[in-house]
């Protein structure tokens, strides 16, 4: 029975998150429905990670097992033809039986994109976070470096987070400006529920001058979510890539392209 991996891109603004739900539409449901048509059998997928309602993916990776014999091109094009326009398949690969989209992942990368201008967005209202007050990206980047390394991220996890441990290893974190866009990039072995959005909330407060640069370190040391900042809105968040062992040769860490605010936010396909 072949095991197939897919790279997915989706606009999360019209979904209630990744996971299939009885009361609302999840991305997982439409992906499984589309693949089931191609396979002519029921398909269930396993994802590298869940995304919340309103959160997008420039690269989500899933795997599934099937008895159907299809080419990689057929899986890719057939699935896209049977999914809504807000979801696309970027690639399909047959992978070893032991591959697991979640547990084989070595690292995950997220981007948080902020539109920093006085005027509120219209074209990209659901694809960026809007901050009208001037942000100092250099202060934000300096503050973010306190989070690099292995730490207890209790101050940055949601109250409903179900992870058994708050320990996570942050490999890199950076804040850069591209004109009116301020981009936060984070890469870690794994993430807690709302972790990136809570980090963004702290850094935004530092960027506006509301809080000092060392506040990020103080919040981390508190290990108490109640003493942290606000949770930033979901629209600016993108699952941007999943890192696997190079031997798998999966195109799962694409270059994320930040476009002008008047153009659709997207990611460059591998």
């Amino acid at each position: 029975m072949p095991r197939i991996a897919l790279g997915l891109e989706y606009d999360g603004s019209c979904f209630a998150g990744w996971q299939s739900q009885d009361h609302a539409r999840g991305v997982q449901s439409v992906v499984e429905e589309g693949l089931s048509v191609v396979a002519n059998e029921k398909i269930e997928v396993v994802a590298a990670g869940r995304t919340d309602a309103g959160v997008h993916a420039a690269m989500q990776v899933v795997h599934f097992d099937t008895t159907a014999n299809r080419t990689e091109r057929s899986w890719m094009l057939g699935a896209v033809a049977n999914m809504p326009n807000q979801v696309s398949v970027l690639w399909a690969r047959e992978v070893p039986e032991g591959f697991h989209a979640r547990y084989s992942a070595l690292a995950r990368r997220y981007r948080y994109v902020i539109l920093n201008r006085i005027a509120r967005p219209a074209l990209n209202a659901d694809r960026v976070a809007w901050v009208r007050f001037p942000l100092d990206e250099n202060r934000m980047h300096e503050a973010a470096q306190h989070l690099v390394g292995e730490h207890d991220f209790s101050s940055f996890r949601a109250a409903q987070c179900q992870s058994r441990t708050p320990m996570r290893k942050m490999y890199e974190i950076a804040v850069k400006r591209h004109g009116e866009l301020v981009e936060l990039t984070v890469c870690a072995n794994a993430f807690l529920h709302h972790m990136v959005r809570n980090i963004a909330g702290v850094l935004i407060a530092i960027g506006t001058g509301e809080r000092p640069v060392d506040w990020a370190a103080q919040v981390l040391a508190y290990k108490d979510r109640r003493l942290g900042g606000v949770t930033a809105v979901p629209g600016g968040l993108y699952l941007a890539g999943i890192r696997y062992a190079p031997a798998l040769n999966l195109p799962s860490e694409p270059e994320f392209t930040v476009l002008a605010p008047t153009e659709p936010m997207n990611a460059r396909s591998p």
Side-chain angles (χ1 to χ4, degrees):
M1 182 178 292
R3 175 160 293 187
I4 307 297
L6 299 180
L8 302 176
E9 176 185 276
Y10 53 82
D11 177 351
S13 59
C14 57
F15 293 99
W18 162 260
Q19 192 171 11
S20 296
Q21 303 175 49
D22 294 332
H23 61 283
R25 186 171 71 157
V27 182
Q28 181 182 3
S29 296
V30 301
V31 170
E32 291 179 341
E33 289 167 5
L35 289 170
S36 296
V37 173
V38 180
N40 197 29
E41 65 182 15
K42 185 177 181 180
I43 296 294
E44 296 181 353
V45 301
V46 177
R50 299 176 181 176
T51 51
D52 292 332
V55 176
H56 318 291
M59 181 62 70
Q60 169 74 278
V61 177
V62 303
H63 82 260
F64 62 93
D65 297 323
T66 178
T67 61
N69 184 16
R70 307 284 187 270
T71 65
E72 294 175 351
R73 178 180 174 85
S74 295
W75 283 120
M76 177 180 170
L77 299 182
V80 168
N82 290 282
M83 293 178 188
N85 291 337
Q86 294 82 7
V87 183
S88 185
V89 179
L90 301 177
W91 51 263
R93 298 284 190 278
E94 185 169 344
V95 290
E97 182 181 355
F99 173 83
H100 193 284
R102 178 182 178 187
Y103 297 124
S104 297
L106 303 178
R108 294 153 176 87
R109 186 180 302 274
Y110 279 87
R111 297 285 205 283
Y112 195 83
V113 182
I114 303 165
L115 177 62
N116 187 210
R117 69 183 189 192
I118 295 177
R120 66 173 175 81
L123 296 179
N124 288 314
D126 295 323
R127 296 183 176 90
V128 295
W130 174 47
V131 177
R132 72 180 73 181
F133 305 106
L135 291 173
D136 185 332
E137 68 276 9
N138 295 318
R139 282 170 54 90
M140 295 169 69
H141 179 80
E142 180 183 350
Q145 303 317 300
H146 293 293
L147 306 181
V148 175
E150 188 168 10
H151 304 288
D152 180 332
F153 281 93
S154 292
S155 293
F156 296 96
R157 71 188 298 187
Q160 64 269 35
C161 181
Q162 298 177 357
S163 176
R164 290 177 295 177
T165 173
M167 300 299 297
R168 293 294 186 270
K169 188 171 185 179
M170 183 75 71
Y171 296 123
E172 58 181 285
I173 182 168
V175 180
K176 296 181 180 179
R177 177 177 288 275
H178 306 270
E180 294 178 333
L181 296 177
V182 175
E183 178 188 286
L184 164 65
T185 304
V186 293
C187 181
N189 61 340
F191 288 87
L192 300 165
H193 193 196
H194 287 176
M195 179 173 162
V196 180
R197 290 168 58 192
N198 289 334
I199 290 174
V202 166
L203 296 181
I204 288 170
I206 292 171
T208 61
E210 177 186 348
R211 294 284 189 168
V213 171
D214 63 358
W215 189 53
Q218 294 172 11
V219 171
L220 182 67
Y222 290 148
K223 301 178 184 179
D224 187 340
R225 175 70 195 116
R226 294 170 297 179
L227 301 178
V230 300
T231 302
V233 299
L237 184 58
Y238 295 76
L239 175 56
I242 313 294
R243 183 176 303 166
Y244 295 101
L248 291 169
N249 196 31
L250 296 180
S252 52
E253 283 194 287
E255 180 182 347
F256 189 92
T257 304
V258 178
L259 303 180
T262 55
E263 299 173 7
M265 299 299 299
N266 206 339
R268 184 177 304 164
S269 301

